[in-house]
Amino acid sequence: QVQLVESGGDLVQPGGSLRLSCTASGSIFSINTMGWYRQAPGKQRELVATITSRGITNYADSVKGRFTISRDNAKNAVYLQMNSLKLEDTGVYFCYYGNSYVQYWGQGTQVTVSS
């Protein structure tokens, strides 16, 4: 089992910035993908960004140029720097850790963008 602990969610005004963090512990496997998904009220969970253990990134079109994902393999941590936040970025952000065979999810951290 892998446990994921997220932090960094908050209430922020449009145009503001937030940084989300997630740390994995437990039965860590070396080849993995970490990332962030989000779920807005009444909508399905969607991809925000992922990063492989080799550093290959993937972003949703809606966040390209505004969000940056990074990771620290020594700390088993993944980060999401969110800039120029928009109202539509509001939602619960879930940390993801996994590979082709198994996936783990964090409890989620609330990001609210509101004036």
Side-chain angles (χ1 to χ4, degrees), residues 3-66:
Q3 294 77 43
L4 301 172
V5 178
E6 304 133 322
S7 63
D10 206 344
L11 170 65
V12 63
Q13 291 186 341
S17 297
L18 281 177
R19 186 175 188 248
L20 304 183
S21 300
C22 173
T23 300
S25 62
S27 302
I28 303 297
F29 34 94
S30 59
I31 299 175
N32 60 74
T33 295
M34 297 187 76
W36 296 92
Y37 287 68
R38 67 187 179 191
Q39 188 166 16
K43 295 188 176 181
Q44 290 189 331
R45 191 175 298 188
E46 63 176 4
L47 167 75
V48 176
T50 59
I51 183 167
T52 71
S53 47
R54 294 184 176 183
I56 298 171
T57 59
N58 181 43
Y59 292 93
D61 288 342
S62 59
V63 307
K64 284 180 181 177
R66 300 188 297 122

Side-chain angles (χ1 to χ4, degrees), residues 2 11-12 16-17 28 52 55 71 73-76 85 91 95 101 108-109 112:
V2 173
L11 170 65
V12 63
S17 297
I28 303 297
T52 71
R71 64 186 288 165
N73 289 335
K75 296 181 179 179
N76 297 313
L85 283 160
C95 180
Y101 305 100
T109 185
T112 303

